[in-house]
PDB file of all heavy atoms in Angstrom:
ATOM      1  N   LEU A 601       4.261  44.827 -33.321  1.00 99.00           N
ATOM      2  CA  LEU A 601       3.121  44.209 -32.974  1.00 99.00           C
ATOM      3  C   LEU A 601       1.997  44.498 -33.980  1.00 99.00           C
ATOM      4  O   LEU A 601       1.793  45.743 -34.288  1.00 99.00           O
ATOM      5  CB  LEU A 601       2.680  44.551 -31.617  1.00 99.00           C
ATOM      6  CG  LEU A 601       1.483  43.953 -31.031  1.00 99.00           C
ATOM      7  CD1 LEU A 601       1.594  42.329 -30.987  1.00 99.00           C
ATOM      8  CD2 LEU A 601       1.112  44.471 -29.622  1.00 99.00           C
ATOM      9  N   GLY A 665     -26.046  38.297 -32.777  1.00 98.00           N
ATOM     10  CA  GLY A 665     -25.398  37.072 -32.402  1.00 98.00           C
ATOM     11  C   GLY A 665     -25.730  36.638 -30.967  1.00 98.00           C
ATOM     12  O   GLY A 665     -26.055  37.446 -30.093  1.00 98.00           O
ATOM     13  N   PRO A 674     -31.135  28.838 -26.768  1.00 98.00           N
ATOM     14  CA  PRO A 674     -30.847  27.518 -27.392  1.00 98.00           C
ATOM     15  C   PRO A 674     -30.012  27.599 -28.627  1.00 98.00           C
ATOM     16  O   PRO A 674     -29.418  26.564 -29.041  1.00 98.00           O
ATOM     17  CB  PRO A 674     -32.230  27.058 -27.774  1.00 98.00           C
ATOM     18  CG  PRO A 674     -33.079  28.359 -27.883  1.00 98.00           C
ATOM     19  CD  PRO A 674     -32.530  29.204 -26.885  1.00 98.00           C
ATOM     20  N   ASP A 775      -6.648  42.553 -21.337  1.00 99.00           N
ATOM     21  CA  ASP A 775      -6.836  43.242 -22.626  1.00 99.00           C
ATOM     22  C   ASP A 775      -7.784  44.525 -22.443  1.00 99.00           C
ATOM     23  O   ASP A 775      -8.809  44.291 -22.039  1.00 99.00           O
ATOM     24  CB  ASP A 775      -7.410  42.303 -23.715  1.00 99.00           C
ATOM     25  CG  ASP A 775      -7.403  42.864 -25.036  1.00 99.00           C
ATOM     26  OD1 ASP A 775      -6.992  44.021 -25.261  1.00 99.00           O
ATOM     27  OD2 ASP A 775      -7.941  42.116 -25.997  1.00 99.00           O
ATOM     28  N   SER A 785     -16.431  55.985 -26.952  1.00 96.00           N
ATOM     29  CA  SER A 785     -16.885  55.100 -28.139  1.00 96.00           C
ATOM     30  C   SER A 785     -15.859  55.120 -29.260  1.00 96.00           C
ATOM     31  O   SER A 785     -15.886  54.272 -30.065  1.00 96.00           O
ATOM     32  CB  SER A 785     -18.201  55.676 -28.577  1.00 96.00           C
ATOM     33  OG  SER A 785     -18.087  56.887 -29.264  1.00 96.00           O
ATOM     34  N   LEU A 884      -5.239  59.501 -41.979  1.00 98.00           N
ATOM     35  CA  LEU A 884      -4.788  59.464 -40.565  1.00 98.00           C
ATOM     36  C   LEU A 884      -3.435  58.841 -40.436  1.00 98.00           C
ATOM     37  O   LEU A 884      -2.824  59.094 -39.292  1.00 98.00           O
ATOM     38  CB  LEU A 884      -5.918  58.704 -39.751  1.00 98.00           C
ATOM     39  CG  LEU A 884      -7.312  59.383 -39.781  1.00 98.00           C
ATOM     40  CD1 LEU A 884      -8.273  58.391 -38.976  1.00 98.00           C
ATOM     41  CD2 LEU A 884      -7.269  60.747 -39.335  1.00 98.00           C
TER      42      LEU A 884
END
Side-chain angles (χ1 to χ4, degrees):
L601 180 63
D775 188 4
S785 68
L884 299 178

